[in-house]
Amino acid sequence: MTDEAADQVRGFDPRVPNEARVLDFMMGGKDNFAADRKAAAEILEFAPEIPMMIRESRKFLARTVRYLAEHGVRQYVDIGCGLPTQGSVHQILEPIAPESKVVYVDNDPVVIVHSNALIDTTGTIRVVQADVREPDALLDHPVVAAHIDLKEPTAIVVQSVFTTILDDALVARTIQRLADRLATGSYLLFSHAVGDPPDADTAKLADLFHQHYLLEGDRTEPRTRAEVARFLTGLDLVPPGLVPMPAWRPLPGEPTVDPDSFWAIGGIARKP
């Protein structure tokens, strides 16, 4: 391990669960520890549908990334990437646009170290530690700036990143600033958990969020679909718009779940 990597994981304790590793375990990955598996078991006991939601989220990512690649996008910045395994952006692109450049971004130093160990960063992929709440610092990071030409069409991927940022004004400013920095014809690939699916147990969803510290302070429930949609004001939504993720251009045989019971919506927004 390099000195830089050692600095990044200073204070790392495998006895403390990590969100990215918990999700890795739920997706069938092997990059997790006993504490992560214990936390995952507790979550699954409370909400056994979470693995299904993760699978549907990955299907949504695959469909949306393929759409972007088919429309000529060859630059991707995946913010809040977690561990880039099990069907991540670069894996989706490999068979259809292998020349595409991908930068994975996360604010968790442990995720960064794991990610650098898991993938080859000598080619078209880079891994960067940065915080979406500082969009200019993120996009001006030397690695991002050297790898991604923001004068060319670029896709910013923000899957569920803003769900846990509770300040609506901050989310709106951040999304607006990300869009401002992109070239015309660029895209925002976006998803967000919501609290008002027609057929879902929203009280259970709110309890889940509270138990795992995703809702704090004055906010007592997840954002509604209408609240989330306002964040994309000024951008052009690719049809069918911002919809439950299983309902976004499903392939033959999809959706595999009832979209009206799904806790998260997603879509692609284009900068006009």
Side-chain angles (χ1 to χ4, degrees):
M1 181 181 291
T2 66
D3 291 341
E4 180 181 1
D7 288 341
Q8 286 182 311
V9 296
R10 194 177 306 281
F12 163 66
D13 186 348
R15 296 170 297 180
V16 177
N18 170 273
E19 179 183 359
R21 295 195 307 265
V22 169
L23 290 176
D24 175 75
F25 173 73
M26 290 182 178
M27 293 166 60
K30 63 182 187 306
D31 298 292
N32 48 75
F33 298 105
D36 307 308
R37 296 188 284 274
K38 181 176 184 293
E42 292 173 356
I43 294 171
L44 293 174
E45 183 176 354
F46 185 82
E49 62 269 45
I50 292 293
M52 174 274 294
M53 294 192 64
I54 295 172
R55 289 193 298 271
E56 293 298 324
S57 177
R58 285 289 162 169
K59 291 178 183 179
F60 166 79
L61 181 67
R63 296 194 302 271
T64 48
V65 169
R66 282 197 296 266
Y67 173 92
L68 293 169
E70 289 167 359
H71 285 76
V73 179
R74 295 296 182 266
Q75 300 187 126
Y76 298 80
V77 181
D78 185 353
I79 303 174
C81 61
L83 293 172
T85 60
Q86 308 280 333
S88 292
V89 172
H90 73 283
Q91 295 172 323
I92 299 165
L93 290 166
E94 277 177 0
I96 52 177
E99 73 278 16
S100 298
K101 296 179 179 180
V102 179
V103 176
Y104 289 113
V105 181
D106 206 285
N107 66 350
D108 185 337
V110 176
V111 167
I112 299 304
V113 172
H114 278 309
S115 298
N116 275 306
L118 287 168
I119 60 179
D120 179 8
T121 57
T122 61
T124 60
I125 306 170
R126 300 289 184 272
V127 178
V128 168
Q129 183 179 350
D131 194 320
V132 70
R133 290 167 291 193
E134 299 176 354
D136 284 308
L138 188 159
L139 294 175
D140 291 332
H141 187 287
V143 173
V144 178
H147 200 57
I148 301 294
D149 181 1
L150 293 177
K151 296 184 179 65
E152 297 295 327
T154 302
I156 300 289
V157 179
V158 278
Q159 278 236 86
S160 301
V161 170
F162 294 109
T163 299
T164 58
I165 299 178
L166 306 182
D167 184 334
D168 289 350
L170 175 59
V171 172
R173 288 196 305 271
T174 300
I175 292 175
Q176 182 61 58
R177 187 56 187 158
L178 288 170
D180 287 345
R181 293 291 305 272
L182 295 175
T184 297
S186 293
Y187 295 88
L188 190 74
L189 195 169
F190 179 89
S191 68
H192 195 294
V194 292
D196 59 346
D199 296 333
D201 185 345
T202 54
K204 177 180 175 182
L205 174 61
D207 286 344
L208 176 65
F209 274 49
H210 278 292
Q211 285 195 18
H212 293 280
Y213 310 105
L214 299 180
L215 291 173
E216 300 173 349
D218 294 335
R219 182 175 289 279
T220 59
E221 58 186 20
R223 294 181 177 105
T224 65
R225 297 185 189 202
E227 288 173 325
V228 171
R230 284 197 288 271
F231 292 142
L232 302 180
T233 299
L235 301 173
D236 295 335
L237 286 170
V238 172
L242 199 58
V243 297
M245 287 195 278
W248 199 94
R249 301 195 178 202
L251 300 175
E254 294 181 333
T256 56
V257 300
D258 178 7
D260 285 339
S261 67
F262 206 74
W263 295 356
I265 57 177
I268 298 175
R270 184 180 184 273
K271 181 176 178 177

